[in-house]
């Protein structure tokens, strides 16, 4: 099974070509903006280097968030467009899952794995995962949430855990980790497309019936004239 995996959800542009769970080739570049100009040329160059065309792919995997509004839309639009043109399925993987999947058994040592992503506005995107599931398909221990930093303690594991992601520094600075037993892992803050592809390989594409959609854990920052939130009362 050959998979093209994409991530543009946060502050990088990452592409990987997978054969089952093995990475054939990957490219990643730090990029807070300009994903649209970089993504498709990266895909084209990697497909050429691996002597593949889209008809040989079994599916496309793409990160669906949480993340930046523009970055998510670029990755999702590209994945959906390429999948439609090639007549193959596209599968969405969350950024929280992809980051959790980067933690090795030596690093978590059977401790719960918590991912905290800086969500701006004094919030973090937060989710904890069963460490035994990370080598295949991450199993959440709680729903993904956008949590105010001041309230985060109630959503963290009570037992010893490991922590990663761009929100870890914010939690430390706010003193929200005091009296907890934890270890912060020094791992990349942006998802690697190879982890997106590996999770997709384990889940498979057989049951995919709908194109991937973005995962929004809160309403967008955009407001109607007068500061009206178009999503208020609709959640």
């Amino acid at each position: 099974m050959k998979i093209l995996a994409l991530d543009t959800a946060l502050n990088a542009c990452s592409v990987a070509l997978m054969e089952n769970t093995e990475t054939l080739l990957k490219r990643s570049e730090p990029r807070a903006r300009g994903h649209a100009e970089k993504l498709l040329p990266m895909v084209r160059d990697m497909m050429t280097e691996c002597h593949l065309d889209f008809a040989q792919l079994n599916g496309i995997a793409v990160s669906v968030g949480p993340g930046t509004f523009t970055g998510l839309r670029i990755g999702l639009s590209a994945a959906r467009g390429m999948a439609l043109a090639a007549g193959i399925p596209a599968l969405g993987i969350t950024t929280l899952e992809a980051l959790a999947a980067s933690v090795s058994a030596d690093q978590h040592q059977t401790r719960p794995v918590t991912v905290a992503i800086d969500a701006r506005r004094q919030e973090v995107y937060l989710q904890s995962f069963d460490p035994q599931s990370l080598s295949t398909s991450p199993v959440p221990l709680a729903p993904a949430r956008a949590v105010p930093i001041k309230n985060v303690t109630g959503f963290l594991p009570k037992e010893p855990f490991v922590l990663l992601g761009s929100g870890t520094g914010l939690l430390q600075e706010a003193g929200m980790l005091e009296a907890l037993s934890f270890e912060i892992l020094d791992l990349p803050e942006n998802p690697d497309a190879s982890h997106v592809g590996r999770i997709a390989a384990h889940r498979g594409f057989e049951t995919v019936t709908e194109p991937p959609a973005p995962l929004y854990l809160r309403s967008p920052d955009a407001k109607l004239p007068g500061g009206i939130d178009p999503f208020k009362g609709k959640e």
Side-chain angles (χ1 to χ4, degrees):
M1 179 167 60
K2 290 184 172 60
I3 300 168
L4 172 64
L6 315 173
D7 170 70
T8 58
L10 295 172
N11 294 313
C13 187
S14 181
V15 179
L17 278 168
M18 315 286 295
E19 184 161 13
N20 298 317
T21 60
E22 298 299 316
T23 304
L24 299 176
L25 191 64
K26 68 176 182 178
R27 297 281 186 272
S28 185
E29 180 179 305
R31 186 167 285 262
R33 55 180 59 86
H35 298 85
E37 292 80 7
K38 191 66 180 178
L39 179 61
L40 293 181
M42 287 176 71
V43 170
R44 178 199 61 213
D45 292 347
M46 290 182 61
M47 295 287 285
T48 299
E49 189 171 344
C50 288
H51 305 289
L52 288 173
D53 58 48
F54 287 97
Q56 295 173 279
L57 295 174
N58 298 95
I60 297 176
V62 61
S63 56
V64 297
T68 66
F69 180 83
T70 301
L72 284 178
R73 285 296 179 183
I74 289 167
L76 281 163
S77 296
R80 292 173 66 157
M82 288 185 287
L84 180 63
I88 57 177
L91 178 65
I93 305 297
T94 74
T95 50
L96 296 156
E97 291 170 333
L99 287 169
S102 70
V103 180
S104 68
D106 289 341
Q107 292 168 321
H108 65 65
Q109 298 176 356
T110 73
R111 293 170 291 179
V113 171
T114 299
V115 180
I117 300 173
D118 182 1
R120 312 298 180 187
R121 295 195 288 185
Q122 288 300 298
E123 291 183 338
V124 291
Y125 298 127
L126 192 74
Q127 192 168 32
S128 295
F129 296 88
D130 177 357
Q132 306 292 353
S133 68
L134 300 185
S135 62
T136 54
S137 179
V139 174
L141 297 173
R145 304 173 186 271
V147 182
I149 291 174
K150 64 181 180 179
N151 298 335
V152 79
T153 303
F155 297 96
L156 294 172
K158 301 299 184 288
E159 68 268 39
F161 65 100
V162 297
L163 183 65
L164 71 154
S166 59
T168 56
L170 298 174
L171 301 184
Q172 276 190 306
E173 292 170 9
M176 304 311 299
L177 302 176
E178 296 177 3
L180 296 175
S181 178
F182 67 96
E183 178 187 358
I184 292 179
L185 301 179
D186 184 17
L187 291 171
E189 296 181 349
N190 295 300
D192 188 315
S194 64
H195 296 304
V196 174
R198 178 165 59 84
I199 296 170
H202 281 289
R203 291 186 181 169
F205 293 87
E206 295 82 5
T207 61
V208 174
T209 58
E210 299 290 339
L215 172 64
Y216 295 129
L217 297 181
R218 69 181 186 201
S219 300
D221 293 334
K223 297 288 190 296
L224 295 172
I228 299 171
D229 183 349
F231 289 86
K232 188 173 182 180
K234 298 182 180 181
E235 297 179 350

